[in-house]
Amino acid sequence: DIVMTQSPDSLAVSLGERATIDCKSSRSVLHVLSNKSYLAWYQQKPGQPPKLLIYWSSTRQSGVPDRFSGSGSGTDFTLTISNVQAEDVAIYFCQQYYSSPLTFGGGTKVEIK
Amino acid sequence: QVQLQESGPGLVKPSETLSLTCSVSNGSISNYFLTWIRQSQGKGLEWIGHIYYTGSTTYNPSLKSRVTISVDTSKNQFSLRLSSVIAADTAVYYCSRMAGRIARGMSYFDYGLDVWGQGTTVTVSS
C-alpha cells in the first residue's frame, strides 16, 4: 500500500494569511506516460462529506476558489491556501489514486488564529 | 447536479452483516468507479473498495475477505455488504464515484472522488 503522510496535523493562521499543508507519499504517484501525479486534495467541514478541491496534484475542481492551489510531483506535494478566509476552517486530506488500495493522508486541521 | 445518497440500517449487531445501498440521481453511473469509503475516529478515511459500472470489483486487502460490492445499473444503485462486523467497523460510511476506465485489465482513474453522499453512521453494538 502507498502510505500518505501529511504535515502538520494542525495549524492556525490569521485571516488573510497563507496556509501551507504538505503531503508525502511512500512511493511515487507519478504516471510516467501521462506525466501526471495521481494526487488529490479534499476539504472536509464538520458534519459534511469531503469535497474535492484539487486533482492531478494541481488542477482545481470546477467552482473551487483560486486561493486554493496545489503543487508537487512524484512523492512530495503541497496544498496552499492563500488569503485564508473564515470559511476555510476545515480538515484537509490528500489522497493518492495511482494504485489500489486508494489511500488518504491523516488530515490537517486548519483553524483561524 | 448528480447526487449520491446512502441508505441502510444505522445499527448492526456484532457478527452480523452490514448492508448499505447508494442511490445515484441526476446522472449516469457509466464510466465511473462506484466507491465506498468509511471514516472512523481512530482510522481517518479508509477506502473500502469500488465497482466499475460493468461489474468489475476491487477491494481493500484489509477488508477483502468480508466485503462485497455490487451494482444494479437498472436502478442506478450500488451496494455494500460487510460481513462478520465487529465494533471496529463502527464508522460513517460514504459512497462516492471516480471517473475512469478499465483497459487491458488495468484500471485508470481520473480526477479523484468528485461527488460524495452525505454519509450514514453505522454503529456495531449488541
Side-chain angles (χ1 to χ4, degrees), chain A residues 99-110:
Chain A
S99 67
S100 299
L102 309 187
T103 48
F104 294 85
T108 296
K109 187 174 186 178
V110 172

Side-chain angles (χ1 to χ4, degrees), chain A:
Chain A
D1 299 5
I2 297 177
V3 177
M4 308 300 293
T5 303
Q6 283 183 239
S7 62
D9 292 337
S10 64
L11 74 160
V13 297
S14 301
L15 289 172
E17 295 298 306
R18 173 177 299 182
T20 300
I21 300 168
D22 292 323
C23 174
K24 190 175 183 68
S25 58
S26 61
R27 287 191 280 126
S28 175
V29 298
L30 174 66
H31 193 278
V32 176
L33 292 180
S34 65
N35 198 34
K36 291 179 177 179
S37 288
Y38 283 51
L39 189 284
W41 288 97
Y42 300 85
Q43 174 194 65
Q44 186 177 30
K45 297 181 179 180
Q48 297 184 18
K51 171 189 173 183
L52 178 65
L53 295 177
I54 303 278
Y55 56 91
W56 299 136
S57 79
S58 61
T59 302
R60 262 189 309 277
Q61 174 72 329
S62 175
V64 173
D66 60 7
R67 64 179 181 273
F68 292 91
S69 63
S71 62
S73 179
T75 61
D76 294 281
F77 303 92
T78 299
L79 174 70
T80 301
I81 313 172
S82 305
N83 186 22
V84 168
Q85 302 297 300
E87 61 263 34
D88 300 334
V89 168
I91 300 176
Y92 293 84
F93 297 92
C94 61
Q95 180 227 350
Q96 65 82 17
Y97 52 104
Y98 180 83
S99 67
S100 299
L102 309 187
T103 48
F104 294 85
T108 296
K109 187 174 186 178
V110 172
E111 299 173 309
I112 302 298
K113 194 183 295 181

Side-chain angles (χ1 to χ4, degrees), chain A residues 1 31 38 40 42 44 47-52 54-56 61 93 95 97-106, chain B residues 35 37 39 44-47 50 58-61 94 98 101 107-119:
Chain A
D1 299 5
H31 193 278
Y38 283 51
Y42 300 85
Q44 186 177 30
Q48 297 184 18
K51 171 189 173 183
L52 178 65
I54 303 278
Y55 56 91
W56 299 136
Q61 174 72 329
F93 297 92
Q95 180 227 350
Y97 52 104
Y98 180 83
S99 67
S100 299
L102 309 187
T103 48
F104 294 85
Chain B
T35 305
I37 293 152
Q39 185 172 32
L45 288 163
E46 182 179 27
W47 178 81
H50 60 219
T58 306
Y59 301 133
N60 193 320
Y94 294 102
M98 179 181 292
R101 68 198 185 281
S107 297
Y108 298 90
F109 307 124
D110 294 327
Y111 314 134
L113 295 154
D114 67 340
V115 181
W116 294 62
Q118 281 300 305

Side-chain angles (χ1 to χ4, degrees), chain B residues 20-33:
Chain B
L20 297 174
T21 295
C22 182
S23 300
V24 181
S25 57
N26 303 322
S28 172
I29 61 174
S30 296
N31 303 306
Y32 285 95
F33 291 91

